[in-house]
Amino acid sequence: MEIQAGRTAGSSSDGTEDSDFSADLEHAEAPESARRRSSTRLTRASLRLSQSSQDLKQGADRDETPPRTPTGNAPSSESDIEVSSPSNDLEDERLAKELSLKEAAAHDLSHRPKRRRFHESYNFNMKCPTPGCNSLGHLTGRHERHFSISGCPLYHNLSADECKGKASTRDKQAEERTLSHRQDENRHSTRNQAPTDRQLRYKEKVTELRRKRNSSLNKDQKEKHMDHRQSHGASREPLLENITSDYDLELFRKAQARASDDLEKLRLAGQVSEGSNMIKTIVFGRYELDTWYHSPYPEEYARLGRLYMCEFCLKYMKSQTILRRHMAKCVWKHPPGDEIYRKGNISVFEVDGKKNKIYCQNLCLLAKLFLDHKTLYYDVEPFLFYVMTEADNTGCHLVGYFSKEKNSFLNYNVSCILTMPQYMRQGYGKMLIDFSYLLSKVEEKVGSPERPLSDLGLISYRSYWKEVLLRYLNNFQGKEISIKEISQETAVNPVDIVSTLQSLQMLKYWKGKHLVLKRQDLIDDWKAKETKRGNGKTIDPTALKWTPPKGT
C-alpha cells in the first residue's frame, strides 16, 4: 500500500497551521494500542519506509483497507514503528513534541484563521447600492466590505486604499491628542484657567488655514464640479474640495467616518438591516413597536432598520437625538383638521387629504408597516381621514384611523382602517367601524368596507356585523323581517348581512322561501358578553358634531 507524504501532519500546503486537523485528531478512531503510540506514529521515519516492506504489507492486508487520517494519510501499524531507524530517534522526539504542542493549542480559538469570523459577520449576497461599486473597502478603513451608501468609498469619491490611509492618519492624530492630554493631567483643574501654549498655537494654526481658503471657485473648478454632477448625478457625493477650508473639510470627513463606523456596529449587532430596506422597529411616543410589513419609506431612512416618529405630527427621524430636539419645538398636540367627535378622552378628527397632504402621507406610510394589502401612500388628496385619539395631559395620542373616498361610486364607507398595535384587543377597532357606519347613517347611505380586507380587518368586521344583527334581532318584536329593513336600520350592506347570517347558520331555505332563524342561544350569549363588557368602549351618536362634506 502506497503512503502519501506530500505534507506533514499539522501543517497546510502553504506553510500555515492547520487548526482543523489538530482539533479533529483527538476524535479519530484508533485501536487502544495505537492510541498509546500516537506520539511516534505520524513521524517522518514511518513515512520513509522502504518500498519492499510496503509491498509485503500490501500483500498481507490486500482485502482490508485501513482507515485514513484527516490529512488523507493511512495510519502506520506497530510493525512500521519497529523498523524505524534508531538514528532518527532524536528527530522523532522533536516531531512528537511539536505534535503535542499543536494538539494542546487546538482548543485555543485565537489560532483559527480570521477569515472564519469574516464569513460569519458579512452576508455576501448583499451588494452596495452605488452603481459600479463592488462592495469592497469601507469609508472607515477598518472593514473589508460595506453594504450601504454611508460606508461606500466610491460614493464619497475615494478609493479603499485612500480610506485606509486616512484611517491610519486619524489613529496617529488620536495618539498625539492622548499624549498631549496626559501631559496636561498634572493641572488640577482646567476650568477657569488660561489656555496652554499648545492650545494657543493650535488655534493660530486653524485660523491661518481658514484664512488661506479662496472665497470662490475658479472657472476650471466650476467646470469640474459641473461635469461630476452631470456624469454621476445623485449616485455620488458632490465634490467638496475648495468649497471650504482644508481643515473644515477634514473635520467633516472625520464626522462621516465616525458616523459610518457607528452604523457598522449597529449592523453587526443586528439593529440595522442589510440591504433589505425593511424597518424592523419604530419608536412612537412611549412605545417601541415591532413592524409587520414593508413600507416604502425613503431609502436613507428604511436602511436604518429603526425609525423615530413624532406621535403628533407623524414626522419620521433617524435618531433619538433628532427626535428629542424636534419634540422640544413641535407645537402639535393633536391631528390637524376638525374635531367632529368627543366623549370623555376619546376624540375623532376629520383630516382632508388635500389640505393636510404631508400629515396624511405620513399616516399612510405608518399604516403600511402594519397592513399587508394597503397600496395608497402618496395620492391622498381624494380621501378624507378620520383619526381617533386618546387624550391625556400631554396631548391627543393616535389610537387608530380609517379613510374613505370623498366620492365613492360603490358607496364604500371605509377604504383603509387601522388600530395601532398598542391599542389592539381593547375595543377600539369596533369603535372605528361603528363610527364609520354612524357617518353613513348621517349621510343616509348604506356602506361597506372596500375589499380586500386584511385578516385582522375581516375578523373585526365579522364580529361587528354579528353584534349588530344580534342586537337588532333581540330588539325586533315582529314576525316577518326583511334584509332590506335591517340594511336601512343599520346602514350595513345587504350582501354583508346575508354572509353574516349564513356564517351564523341563521339563514335557511324552506318551501321556496328564505327564512331568518332567531337563534335564542346566540342572542343569550351576546347579551351575557355585553353585560360583562359594559358600556366603556362605545360610540355615542349624540356626541357627533358633523355635517357631510359638500360634493359627497
Side-chain angles (χ1 to χ4, degrees):
M1 175 176 147
E2 184 178 357
I3 299 179
Q4 300 177 358
R7 59 175 180 173
T8 59
S11 64
S12 60
S13 60
D14 58 354
T16 59
E17 183 179 348
D18 192 353
S19 60
D20 286 343
F21 167 71
S22 59
D24 296 337
L25 188 61
E26 297 178 355
H27 303 285
E29 295 182 0
E32 186 63 24
S33 60
R35 290 176 183 262
R36 292 195 302 268
R37 301 174 186 268
S38 60
S39 60
T40 58
R41 174 162 297 182
L42 296 174
T43 61
R44 292 183 181 178
S46 63
L47 299 177
R48 294 173 181 173
L49 296 177
S50 62
Q51 184 67 34
S52 59
S53 61
Q54 295 176 14
D55 294 336
L56 291 175
K57 180 183 177 183
Q58 181 179 1
D61 300 330
R62 186 177 304 273
D63 296 334
E64 296 182 3
T65 302
R68 290 185 176 271
T69 63
T71 59
N73 301 327
S76 304
S77 62
E78 297 182 7
S79 60
D80 297 332
I81 300 173
E82 292 175 358
V83 298
S84 299
S85 175
S87 62
N88 295 327
D89 290 343
L90 296 177
E91 186 177 4
D92 294 345
E93 292 179 0
R94 182 178 61 82
L95 292 175
K97 290 182 179 179
E98 291 181 358
L99 185 60
S100 62
L101 290 176
K102 292 177 182 179
E103 292 177 355
H107 302 286
D108 190 358
L109 296 179
S110 62
H111 290 276
R112 292 192 177 274
K114 292 184 178 180
R115 60 179 179 270
R116 297 182 185 276
R117 294 193 296 270
F118 181 83
H119 283 289
E120 292 175 359
S121 61
Y122 287 97
N123 185 354
F124 290 95
N125 294 327
M126 300 298 176
K127 293 183 179 180
C128 176
T130 304
C133 181
N134 55 5
S135 299
L136 296 178
H138 200 277
L139 183 63
T140 60
R142 305 178 187 278
H143 306 283
E144 297 297 330
R145 295 179 67 87
H146 67 275
F147 304 102
S148 62
I149 294 177
S150 62
C152 179
L154 185 62
Y155 175 81
H156 295 88
N157 303 309
L158 298 171
S159 64
D161 295 335
E162 290 176 343
C163 293
K164 292 181 180 179
K166 290 180 178 294
S168 61
T169 303
R170 289 193 297 268
D171 293 340
K172 292 180 181 179
Q173 293 175 353
E175 292 177 359
E176 293 176 357
R177 286 196 302 270
T178 303
L179 182 60
S180 63
H181 290 329
R182 289 178 180 176
Q183 294 175 356
D184 295 338
E185 284 181 355
N186 54 359
R187 305 175 69 192
H188 296 288
S189 176
T190 58
R191 180 177 297 178
N192 299 327
Q193 291 188 8
T196 62
D197 294 337
R198 179 183 54 82
Q199 293 172 342
L200 291 175
R201 289 194 301 268
Y202 185 77
K203 181 180 179 181
E204 293 176 358
K205 180 181 177 181
V206 172
T207 304
E208 184 65 22
L209 289 173
R210 289 175 173 171
R211 189 183 297 116
K212 291 181 180 180
R213 183 181 70 87
N214 296 327
S215 59
S216 61
L217 301 176
N218 56 37
K219 184 177 179 181
D220 295 338
Q221 291 172 346
K222 289 182 179 180
E223 290 180 355
K224 183 179 179 180
H225 282 242
M226 291 299 297
D227 293 341
H228 179 82
R229 180 177 297 179
Q230 292 177 0
S231 300
H232 303 289
S235 63
R236 296 280 185 88
E237 182 184 66
L239 295 178
L240 303 179
E241 287 75 11
N242 301 315
I243 292 181
T244 184
S245 65
D246 294 339
Y247 174 77
D248 292 322
L249 179 59
E250 186 62 25
L251 284 181
F252 178 71
R253 292 296 189 191
K254 289 180 181 178
Q256 281 184 321
R258 184 174 179 179
S260 180
D261 193 31
D262 292 341
L263 286 175
E264 186 68 17
K265 292 177 181 178
L266 292 176
R267 188 193 66 79
L268 294 176
Q271 299 181 13
V272 177
S273 56
E274 298 177 337
S276 61
N277 289 342
M278 173 67 180
I279 299 173
K280 297 180 180 179
T281 59
I282 61 171
V283 176
F284 193 81
R286 62 179 184 272
Y287 300 99
E288 182 174 338
L289 307 176
D290 294 332
T291 61
W292 300 349
Y293 304 102
H294 172 266
S295 183
Y297 280 93
E299 195 272 339
E300 58 179 321
Y301 292 89
R303 63 181 173 82
L304 297 176
R306 173 181 294 181
L307 280 187
Y308 299 84
M309 294 188 184
C310 174
E311 60 177 330
F312 300 116
C313 68
L314 303 185
K315 181 181 179 181
Y316 46 89
M317 287 148 277
K318 295 182 179 180
S319 66
Q320 184 72 40
T321 303
I322 301 176
L323 175 62
R324 185 168 58 251
R325 292 175 179 174
H326 170 82
M327 296 301 296
K329 56 186 178 182
C330 183
V331 297
W332 289 35
K333 296 301 178 183
H334 59 79
D338 302 325
E339 185 179 9
I340 62 175
Y341 178 89
R342 180 192 293 181
K343 183 178 181 182
N345 61 344
I346 301 297
S347 299
V348 178
F349 293 82
E350 183 183 58
V351 185
D352 193 338
K354 186 175 182 180
K355 295 180 181 179
N356 302 277
K357 187 174 181 179
I358 301 299
Y359 177 87
C360 295
Q361 288 177 347
N362 291 339
L363 182 61
C364 291
L365 289 174
L366 173 63
K368 183 61 182 72
L369 294 172
F370 308 102
L371 296 175
D372 188 19
H373 299 286
K374 184 173 178 57
T375 57
L376 171 69
Y377 313 117
Y378 299 107
D379 186 18
V380 297
E381 296 182 3
F383 293 87
L384 292 171
F385 295 80
Y386 295 90
V387 184
M388 179 176 289
T389 62
E390 185 180 51
D392 59 12
N393 56 357
T394 61
C396 297
H397 305 280
L398 177 64
V399 173
Y401 87 99
F402 69 89
S403 62
K404 61 183 294 186
E405 290 183 273
K406 296 178 182 177
N407 296 284
S408 178
F409 297 101
L410 299 177
N411 288 332
Y412 288 138
N413 62 356
V414 168
S415 295
C416 178
I417 186 169
L418 169 74
T419 304
M420 294 297 291
Q422 67 268 29
Y423 292 102
M424 287 184 177
R425 303 185 64 84
Q426 300 180 33
Y428 290 106
K430 290 183 180 179
M431 289 182 67
L432 286 170
I433 297 174
D434 196 15
F435 191 82
S436 67
Y437 281 104
L438 177 60
L439 298 183
S440 298
K441 293 177 183 178
V442 176
E443 293 176 321
E444 298 181 353
K445 294 181 179 179
V446 173
S448 180
E450 186 176 339
R451 268 68 170 182
L453 289 170
S454 63
D455 296 336
L456 293 178
L458 181 59
I459 293 173
S460 299
Y461 267 96
R462 282 280 174 86
S463 178
Y464 174 78
W465 291 332
K466 175 183 175 181
E467 289 188 7
V468 168
L469 290 177
L470 293 178
R471 182 183 295 109
Y472 182 86
L473 294 175
N474 181 57
N475 298 329
F476 184 74
Q477 302 298 330
K479 293 183 178 181
E480 294 184 359
I481 191 173
S482 66
I483 303 297
K484 185 177 181 180
E485 292 177 357
I486 300 177
S487 177
Q488 292 176 351
E489 182 72 20
T490 61
V492 179
N493 192 286
V495 176
D496 300 330
I497 294 175
V498 171
S499 64
T500 305
L501 290 174
Q502 289 177 342
S503 65
L504 297 175
Q505 298 182 357
M506 298 177 65
L507 189 63
K508 299 295 182 180
Y509 186 77
W510 186 69
K511 292 185 178 181
K513 294 182 180 181
H514 287 90
L515 302 178
V516 176
L517 301 180
K518 187 177 180 180
R519 294 183 55 180
Q520 194 62 36
D521 56 339
L522 294 179
I523 296 177
D524 293 339
D525 293 341
W526 166 78
K527 291 172 65 175
K529 291 180 180 179
E530 284 290 309
T531 303
K532 183 178 179 180
R533 186 183 304 151
N535 297 324
K537 299 291 193 320
T538 56
I539 293 294
D540 185 5
T542 60
L544 177 66
K545 308 297 180 184
W546 179 77
T547 56
K550 295 181 181 180
T552 59

